[in-house]
C-alpha cells in the first residue's frame, strides 16, 4: 500500500545520504494520504508515496548482484523468452504475436541499476529492449547510475528498434549534489557515445518534491517548504540545461522533471519543458471500474491544468500508471475498493491503453516486469505490476489492439 521507492531512489543515495526512520503515516482527516518516510537501511534510501486525493505514486526498479558484464556473448538470465534467427545479431529477434505496440510509452529500470551493487548486463538489457520494443516506441528511465543510460542506448543500437528514451537523473536534495553530478556526467558521456537521435528528454528529479516535503513533514507543494525544495531542484535543472547548451548538440533535448501527480511545484514547472506525473488508481483507492476515467480526470485537472496556467506551459505526461496483478499477502490485496488481480490488470489494459492513446495522453505504462527484490523488501502488491513475470515470461493477459 505504499509505494515505495525503489531502486530508483535508493540507487542514488550516495554514501553521504542521511538515513531516515521508516515511517508510514495515514491521515484520514483532510486529503487521505499514505506517506512513507524514506528510510534507509544502509545505503538504501526511501521513497514516499502519496496516495489519496488522488495521487498515488510509485515507481520501482530492480536490483541484483554486482556481476556487471558488457560481454555481448554472455547470455541473458532466461535465454528462452526471446529467440534470434542469428544468435550473434540482436536485431534478428523473433516477434511474439501476443505482444502489440499499443502503449504510448513504458517505464523501465534495468535489473541491477542500484548502487552500490549495480550488476545489470548488456545481454539482459538487450533482451528487455527486444520485448519492450514490441509494446511501445517510448521508454523512460528513472536514473543514470550503473551505466544504465549507455546500456539502454547500446541495446537500442544493436536491436535496431524504433525507440525514444527519456533519460533520468535521480537527483537527491541532501547529498550536496553528488548523485546529481554523477548522473549528469554519465548522461553527458552517453550522449557523446550514442548521439541525440534516440533521446526524447532528460528528466531531472524523480519524486523530489514528494520526498522533500515528506522529510520536512510538509504536504503542500506550493507552500514555503515546497518553494525551498523547488530552488534546490531548479538549480540542478538549470545546470542540466546549461550543460546541454555547452555541448552544442545537433538537436534540442528538452529537460523536465517527474513527481507524484499531486506534488508539482509551480516554480519547478516554470523551469522545465515537460513534467511527468505518477497517477496510480490502485494507490488512489479507486475501483477498477472507475480506474481509467479517474486516471484521466486526475491528470487533466491536477497536472495538465496547472501546467497550462503557467506562461511556459510545460508538456505534461503520465510518468507511471498501471495495475497490480497480485499481492504476496491477502491483507494487501485490496486498497479499499481497488483490488489486485490478473483479471483487473486485464480490465485496466482494456479500459485505459487505447482510450488514452485516442485522448492524446502521453503516458508511460507501469511496468514491464515484476520485480522480485521489491516483493522481498516490501511485500504486498509491490512486486506485481509487470506485464511480464520476473523471469520475463508473459503473464496470461491480452494486450489490446489499438
Ligand atoms: C559494482 O559495479 C559498479 C560499476 O558497474 C561499481 O561502481 C561499484 O563500486 C560496484 N560495487 C561493488 C559493491 O562492488
Ligand atoms: C517510430 O516511432 C515514432 C513514435 O515514437 C513514430 O512517430 C515513427 O513514425 C516511428 N518510425 C518508424 C520508422 O516506424
Ligand atoms: C557502459 O555500457 C556500454 C554499453 O554496453 C559499454 O560500452 C561501456 O563499457 C560500459 N561502461 C562501463 C563503465 O561499464
Ligand atoms: C544540485 O542540487 C543539490 C541540492 O539538491 C545541490 O547541493 C547541488 O549543488 C546542485 N548541483 C548543481 C550542479 O546544480
Ligand atoms: C478519454 O477522455 C474522456 C473525456 O473526453 C474521458 O471521459 C475518458 O475517461 C478518457 N479515457 C481515458 C482512458 O483516458
Ligand atoms: C498470488 O500470490 C499468492 C501469494 O503469494 C500466491 O499464492 C498465488 O499463487 C498468486 N496468484 C497468482 C495468480 O499468481
Ligand atoms: C501489507 O504488507 C506489509 C508489508 O509486507 C505488511 O507489513 C502488512 O502487515 C500488510 N498489511 C496487511 C493488512 O496485511
Ligand atoms: C479506501 O477506501 C475504503 C473504503 O472504501 C477505506 O476503508 C480505506 O481505508 C481506504 N484506504 C485508503 C488507503 O484510503
Ligand atoms: C488464461 O486466462 C484465461 C481466461 O482469461 C483462462 O481461460 C486460461 O485458462 C488461462 N490460462 C492459464 C495458463 O492460466
Amino acid at each position: 500500500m505504499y509505494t515505495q521507492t525503489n531502486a530508483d531512489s535508493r540507487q542514488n543515495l550516495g554514501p553521504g545520504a542521511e538515513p531516515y526512520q521508516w515511517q508510514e503515516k495515514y491521515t484520514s482527516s483532510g486529503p487521505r494520504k499514505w506517506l512513507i518516510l524514506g528510510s534507509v537501511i544502509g545505503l538504501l534510501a526511501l521513497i514516499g508515496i502519496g496516495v489519496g486525493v488522488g495521487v498515488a505514486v510509485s515507481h520501482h526498479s530492480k536490483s541484483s548482484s554486482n556481476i556487471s558484464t558488457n560481454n555481448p556473448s554472455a547470455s541473458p538470465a532466461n535465454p528462452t523468452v526471446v529467440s534470434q534467427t542469428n544468435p550473434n545479431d540482436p536485431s534478428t529477434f523473433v516477434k511474439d504475436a501476443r505482444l502489440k505496440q499499443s502503449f504510448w510509452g513504458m517505464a523501465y529500470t534495468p535489473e541491477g541499476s542500484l548502487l552500490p551493487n549495480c550488476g545489470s548486463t548488456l545481454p539482459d538489457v538487450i533482451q528487455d529492449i527486444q520485448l519492450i520494443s514490441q509494446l511501445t516506441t517510448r521508454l523512460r528511465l528513472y536514473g543514470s547510475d550503473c551505466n544504465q543510460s549507455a546500456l539502454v542506448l547500446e541495446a537500442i543500437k544493436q536491436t535496431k528498434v524504433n525507440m525514444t528514451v527519456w533519460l533520468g537523473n535521480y537527483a537527491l536534495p541532501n547529498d550536496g549534489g553528488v548523485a546529481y553530478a554523477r548522473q549528469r556526467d554519465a548522461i553527458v558521456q552517453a550522449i557523446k557515445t550514442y548521439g541525440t537521435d534516440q533521446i526524447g528528454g532528460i528528466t531531472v528529479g524523480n519524486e523530489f518534491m514528494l520526498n522533500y516535503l515528506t522529510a520536512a513533514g510538509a504536504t503542500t507543494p506550493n507552500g514555503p517548504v515546497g518553494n525551498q525544495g523547488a530552488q534546490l531542484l531548479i538549480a540542478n535543472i538549470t545546470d542540466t540545461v546549461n550543460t546541454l547548451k555547452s555541448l552544442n548538440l545537433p538537436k534540442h533535448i528538452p529537460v523536465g522533471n517527474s513527481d507524484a501527480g499531486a506534488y508539482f511545484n509551480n516554480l519547478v514547472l516554470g523551469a522545465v519543458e515537460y513534467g511527468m506525473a505518477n497517477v496510480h488508481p490502485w494507490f488512489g483507492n479507486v475501483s477498477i471500474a472507475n480506474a481509467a476515467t479517474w486516471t484521466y480526470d486526475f491528470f487533466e485537472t491536477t497536472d495538465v491544468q496547472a501546467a497550462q496556467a503557467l506562461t511556459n506551459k510545460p508538456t505534461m505526461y503520465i510518468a507511471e500508471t498501471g495495475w497490480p496483478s497480485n499481492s504476496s499477502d491477502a491483507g494487501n490485496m485490496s486498497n479499499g475498493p481497488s483490488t489486485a488481480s490478473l483479471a483487473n490488470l486485464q480490465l485496466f489494459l482494456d479500459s485505459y491503453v487505447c482510450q488514452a492513446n485516442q485522448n492524446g495522453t502521453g503516458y508511460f505504462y507501469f511496468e514491464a516486469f515484476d520485480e522480485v527484490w521489491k516483493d522481498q523488501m516490501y511485500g504486498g502488491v509491490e512486486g506485481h505490476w509487470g506485464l511480464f513475470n520476473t523471469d520475463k515470461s508473459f503473464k496470461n493477459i491480452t494486450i489490446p489492439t489499438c
Side-chain angles (χ1 to χ4, degrees):
M1 345 194 254
Y2 53 78
T3 297
Q4 87 266 349
T5 280
N6 71 12
D8 314 326
S9 76
R10 281 181 223 111
Q11 72 191 354
N12 299 314
L13 247 209
E18 223 183 298
Y20 300 96
Q21 277 309 112
W22 276 101
Q23 193 175 325
E24 193 173 327
K25 190 165 87 181
Y26 174 64
T27 315
S28 53
S29 60
R32 278 189 312 228
K33 162 189 315 185
W34 280 95
L35 294 178
I36 295 199
L37 283 194
S39 129
V40 178
I41 301 170
L43 294 178
L44 302 187
L46 150 130
I47 289 191
I49 291 167
V51 173
V53 167
V55 176
V57 178
S58 133
H59 64 273
H60 322 230
S61 77
K62 308 174 180 183
S63 77
S64 81
S65 61
N66 206 5
I67 27 165
S68 186
T69 174
N70 290 297
N71 176 3
S73 63
S75 293
N78 181 355
T80 66
V81 289
V82 178
S83 60
Q84 295 174 188
T85 55
N86 176 351
N88 298 316
D89 183 353
S91 74
T92 65
F93 65 96
V94 178
K95 301 273 171 63
D96 184 333
R98 298 169 300 176
L99 307 183
K100 293 165 203 130
Q101 239 179 26
S102 296
F103 297 84
W104 193 89
M106 193 74 56
Y108 172 61
T109 301
E111 163 125 12
S113 296
L114 195 65
L115 282 176
N117 292 332
C118 297
S120 51
T121 71
L122 183 59
D124 263 302
V125 174
I126 284 175
Q127 190 184 55
D128 291 349
I129 295 298
Q130 289 168 330
L131 291 170
I132 294 171
S133 67
Q134 298 178 63
L135 298 167
T136 188
T137 59
R138 302 177 187 91
L139 200 61
R140 72 171 280 241
L141 297 173
Y142 293 84
S144 286
D145 277 328
C146 302
N147 204 25
Q148 60 181 290
S149 300
L151 288 170
V152 167
L153 290 165
E154 177 67 26
I156 292 169
K157 186 178 159 192
Q158 292 197 25
T159 55
K160 301 188 170 80
V161 298
N162 181 16
M163 188 72 78
T164 300
V165 189
W166 279 256
L167 300 177
N169 185 329
Y170 207 115
L172 298 175
N174 54 1
D175 70 342
V178 171
Y180 166 76
R182 181 178 68 230
Q183 295 171 86
R184 174 200 60 200
D185 295 348
I187 288 170
V188 166
Q189 188 53 50
I191 290 173
K192 286 182 175 167
T193 307
Y194 297 100
T196 55
D197 288 356
Q198 255 55 55
I199 301 176
I202 296 174
T203 311
V204 179
N206 182 61
E207 296 184 349
F208 186 99
M209 295 304 303
L210 171 65
N211 291 334
Y212 187 86
L213 286 161
T214 303
T219 54
T220 315
N222 285 302
V225 177
N227 287 341
Q228 246 170 27
Q231 295 307 333
L232 297 177
L233 182 55
I234 289 169
N236 289 179
I237 288 166
T238 305
D239 181 71
T240 292
V241 169
N242 291 337
T243 299
L244 292 173
K245 266 185 206 148
S246 72
L247 293 174
N248 283 313
L249 300 171
K251 171 182 128 181
H252 174 71
I253 301 182
V255 175
N257 82 308
S258 78
D259 221 306
Y263 282 80
F264 279 94
N265 173 281
N266 287 334
L267 301 174
V268 173
L269 281 179
V272 292
E273 287 173 81
Y274 68 87
M276 291 185 175
N278 289 347
V279 184
H280 275 290
W282 193 89
F283 287 112
N285 219 5
V286 177
S287 73
I288 188 63
N290 298 328
T293 295
W294 177 88
T295 302
Y296 175 82
D297 288 344
F298 180 83
F299 176 61
E300 290 295 324
T301 55
T302 307
D303 300 315
V304 175
Q305 284 182 19
Q308 282 300 309
L310 300 172
T311 50
N312 63 318
K313 297 190 183 357
T315 303
M316 297 305 283
Y317 304 104
I318 291 182
E320 292 184 350
T321 192
W323 198 271
S325 64
N326 199 5
S327 170
S328 293
D329 55 76
N332 284 313
M333 196 69 86
S334 294
N335 194 25
S338 56
T339 300
S341 72
L342 195 61
N344 283 349
L345 166 57
Q346 184 66 61
L347 286 170
F348 188 68
L349 295 172
D350 291 345
S351 58
Y352 187 76
V353 173
C354 300
Q355 294 84 341
N357 294 346
Q358 275 188 334
N359 280 0
T361 305
Y363 64 92
F364 295 87
Y365 187 81
F366 186 81
E367 66 181 325
F369 305 101
D370 276 0
E371 308 195 55
V372 71
W373 73 268
K374 206 172 289 178
D375 184 43
Q376 288 166 349
M377 191 170 278
Y378 301 106
V381 298
E382 289 297 329
H384 302 282
W385 292 77
L387 301 174
F388 299 91
N389 298 297
T390 53
D391 66 357
K392 303 190 197 178
S393 60
F394 192 48
K395 289 183 182 176
N396 187 15
I397 51 176
T398 303
I399 302 295
T401 305
C402 302

